[in-house]
Amino acid sequence: FAYLRSRGLSDKTISDLRIGRTNDGRLSIPYMKNGYVAYYCTRHLPGGAYPESKYRKQKKDDYCEHVVWGLDTLNRGGDTLVIAEGAFDAISFYQENYPVISAITGFFSHDQLPTVVSIAKKFKRVFIVYDDDSATSNAGQKFTQRMSEILTRNRIPFIVGTVPQPYHDVSEYYAAGGNLDYIIQHAQDGLL
């Protein structure tokens, strides 16, 4: 798991989250509910299968429930809920003991949004931070806009974080020794 360690993740975090490698060389990321794996996705790793797909989702069947990633972090202390974009961003906040949820594979599904809103209403505020994709797709800004609209519509106070330059995302910043508290402390108030 040298690759995961290079992303700033500890052996304990890797073990606790049950992160593994699939037979075709992709990273397996479980979504936990009540201490059990309810769903999983895979993420492309260098040399792994399906390099054209960064993420691949588990096929839906009677044996899985596509829950929001991070449900098992909601009992951690604190009045701020983190909503992170990708797997490594979310796992970085997990490792630093924040209550954190994520869609992991892009944006929350239509079926997941009521759960996200319900969770967010239990916190004093929500912190959202997405990747700086301005040089490519602007996907991070689009996700920020969508999440901001949902939080505003539901009258949930939120703040928006920015990843310090020259880093592209939270996990890059974190792996380089960046302090996640810094991003939260320097976040801007969202519209409400």
Side-chain angles (χ1 to χ4, degrees), residues 100-122:
V100 56
I101 60 173
S102 178
I104 299 290
T105 59
F107 199 74
F108 297 103
S109 72
H110 179 73
D111 293 341
Q112 290 175 322
L113 284 175
T115 301
V116 170
V117 168
S118 175
I119 291 168
K121 285 183 175 182
K122 296 175 183 176

Side-chain angles (χ1 to χ4, degrees), residues 142-158:
K142 292 174 187 173
F143 291 135
T144 300
Q145 180 66 34
R146 283 180 71 192
M147 198 71 241
S148 296
E149 290 170 1
I150 290 165
L151 294 170
T152 299
R153 186 171 46 247
N154 287 280
R155 304 189 56 75
I156 299 169
F158 68 99

